[in-house]
Amino acid sequence: MEPRARAGKNVGKETFNRKEVSSLLYAYGDVEDPLPDTMRVLDEIVTEFLDGICFEASRHAQVAGRQKLKFDDFEFALRRNPQYLGRVRSMIEKRQEIKEARQGFNEDETAVAKDAAKDAAAPTTSGTARDDALDDLDEDEDLEYLNSAVPTKGTSSKKRKKAPK
């Protein structure tokens, strides 16, 4: 369907949020509370522009034998306007950088997880982790600390000895 025919369906209906259109107009020098007609006209212009670009991109995708749109299709649709084309190309580059950064992050995370799994699966030489911890303790003081920190049956939490600092 031709984009102009499609645009006829939405005549009188606003596509974008009034607050967003108002903020856009204010950012470009209009008053803080623009006229409703101004906002309606801007909404129609932007909607028609986006419909036209999407129509051209979908037409290019059809000719290429695809049902889904790609960035290349939009690049083709905007080929006559160097400002828009430059913006689309910069968006494509940023998207690629983000994709590569995510992939690198996921690879790093996977490597860390594999190393942790290997460490957990490796058997210890002296037996258990508790035995390893006890080997490192100073004889009497640290054993007293461990025994006082573990509550025994029948003692309340108020009666437990606090560990020396």
Side-chain angles (χ1 to χ4, degrees):
M1 184 184 296
E2 189 69 26
R4 290 185 195 105
R6 242 185 293 146
K9 288 182 182 180
N10 297 328
V11 172
K13 297 179 184 176
E14 292 182 1
T15 307
F16 299 101
N17 186 353
R18 294 182 67 79
K19 187 175 180 180
E20 290 175 353
V21 174
S22 174
S23 297
L24 178 71
L25 284 168
Y26 183 67
Y28 283 98
D30 201 0
V31 294
E32 194 169 343
D33 189 26
L35 295 173
D37 289 339
T38 305
M39 292 192 329
R40 183 184 52 78
V41 168
L42 180 64
D43 186 80
E44 287 179 11
I45 290 170
V46 172
T47 302
E48 186 176 328
F49 172 76
L50 290 175
D51 279 346
I53 296 299
C54 291
F55 180 76
E56 287 294 321
S58 67
R59 187 184 272 173
H60 183 258
Q62 262 183 341
V63 169
R66 288 182 275 111
Q67 290 182 350
K68 291 185 178 181
L69 295 176
K70 293 185 176 182
F71 276 112
D72 295 338
D73 300 325
F74 287 100
E75 198 174 46
F76 181 80
L78 297 169
R79 70 189 181 281
R80 293 189 187 111
N81 192 330
Q83 290 176 333
Y84 296 145
L85 184 60
R87 180 69 177 147
V88 167
R89 285 186 176 158
S90 69
M91 287 174 63
I92 291 171
E93 289 172 6
K94 283 203 188 266
R95 183 174 175 253
Q96 186 64 27
E97 289 173 11
I98 291 170
K99 184 178 178 182
E100 289 171 2
R102 282 184 181 159
Q103 187 177 17
F105 181 73
N106 288 341
E107 288 174 2
D108 292 343
E109 192 175 90
T110 305
V112 169
K114 285 181 181 178
D115 290 343
K118 285 180 185 177
D119 291 344
T124 58
T125 55
S126 64
T128 65
R130 189 170 194 281
D131 291 340
D132 289 341
L134 289 175
D135 289 342
D136 297 332
L137 295 176
D138 291 338
E139 296 290 323
D140 297 326
E141 292 177 11
D142 292 333
L143 285 174
E144 269 183 46
Y145 169 73
L146 281 177
N147 289 333
S148 66
V150 177
T152 57
K153 193 173 185 179
T155 60
S156 69
S157 61
K158 292 180 183 177
K159 293 181 182 178
R160 283 188 211 136
K161 294 180 183 176
K162 291 188 179 178
K165 292 183 181 178

